[in-house]
Amino acid sequence: MIQSDMSSKTTVLVVEDESSIASMLTMALQFLGFEVVTAARGSEALTLATSRSPDVVLLDVVLPDMDGFDVCRGLRSAGVNAPVLFVTARDAVEDKVRGLELADDYVTKPFDLNEVVARIRAVMRRGRELTPANGRRLRAGWVELNQDTREVWRHGEPVQLSSTEFALLRYLLENADQVISKAQMLDNVWSYDFRGESGIVETYIYYLRRKLGDTDQTLIHTVRGAGYLVRSAPPGHLTEG
């Protein structure tokens, strides 16, 4: 059962055209102390996001006027960097992969309110943790990460990462030259129970490798049966032993 802690005064933008679902989410989130703004159309969501600056966005994929994926792209193009969680009935694998490439999380309908709230808190927590008090930069191989500005460079060129991708990369770089298990990544990056779905780690490792140009795994090295290892100075092309 959802319990109110009234600890957060963050704003959640709920983009949902089904009024019953929008009302349920609104009431639950308001009970927990969130401020809630709703939109039933993608165009309305883009306008509200730029004017209200929400802290997190719950976004349906199927909307009357435009695709939720396009809305997410529009948010990023408009400079809205709030974490985005897709909440949708589209449960095909290709939709989940597409959604996770654009946003920070993907929840399918019918959903459990407790799970949605847990995921909202998790992406918010990741966002807060991404801005430390110091201005340290983390480096490994050809990749550099700025913790203050949340910028990432690949061979000196900027790379756009989602909040989750950034959090995972930062955790890997902070633990460079150490083998990190999937369980450790789930605990430290996602911070909530994925019900044994460690495949989410593999998915995001794949996204990072692709965006960072690490297709041959010389930066983020797979250690079979143990986890992953980031090489602070990749020694050429490594192969599995």
Side-chain angles (χ1 to χ4, degrees), residues 138-140 143 145 161 164-182 184-186 188-190 201 204-209 212 214 219-222 227-232:
L138 300 173
R139 298 179 180 86
V143 174
L145 177 151
L161 300 182
T164 302
E165 290 166 343
F166 187 97
L168 178 57
L169 178 60
R170 188 186 73 164
Y171 182 67
L172 289 169
L173 295 183
E174 286 178 333
N175 295 278
D177 300 313
Q178 300 179 52
V179 177
I180 307 298
S181 70
K182 294 177 184 178
Q184 287 175 299
M185 294 182 195
L186 286 173
N188 288 277
V189 177
W190 280 267
V201 174
Y204 272 91
I205 290 290
Y206 168 77
Y207 295 155
L208 279 180
R209 282 173 170 160
L212 298 177
D214 185 35
L219 178 70
I220 305 174
H221 187 61
T222 300
Y228 298 94
L229 169 68
V230 164
R231 304 281 185 177
S232 57

Side-chain angles (χ1 to χ4, degrees), residues 14-124:
V14 176
V15 187
E16 172 61 67
D17 64 318
E18 293 188 38
S19 58
S20 59
I21 295 178
S23 296
M24 176 180 63
L25 286 169
T26 298
M27 287 188 292
L29 293 171
Q30 287 178 337
F31 175 74
L32 290 168
F34 294 98
E35 180 179 353
V36 181
V37 181
T38 61
R41 302 173 67 85
S43 55
E44 182 185 3
L46 292 173
T47 300
L48 284 172
T50 54
S51 63
R52 297 296 297 271
S53 300
D55 298 289
V56 63
V57 179
L58 298 186
L59 177 60
D60 194 1
V61 172
V62 181
L63 296 169
D65 58 339
M66 59 193 302
D67 190 289
F69 299 133
D70 290 333
V71 174
C72 189
R73 293 190 189 93
L75 291 172
R76 298 308 184 223
S77 297
V80 178
N81 295 317
V84 174
L85 286 78
F86 282 113
V87 181
T88 177
R90 299 263 289 268
D91 60 357
V93 172
E94 55 268 27
D95 288 323
K96 292 181 180 179
V97 170
R98 187 180 176 191
L100 286 170
E101 286 182 317
L102 294 170
D104 297 274
D105 212 335
Y106 196 101
V107 182
T108 56
K109 301 174 182 176
F111 54 80
D112 183 284
L113 274 173
N114 289 289
E115 181 180 4
V116 172
V117 170
R119 295 194 180 207
I120 289 173
R121 286 174 170 156
V123 296
M124 286 171 51

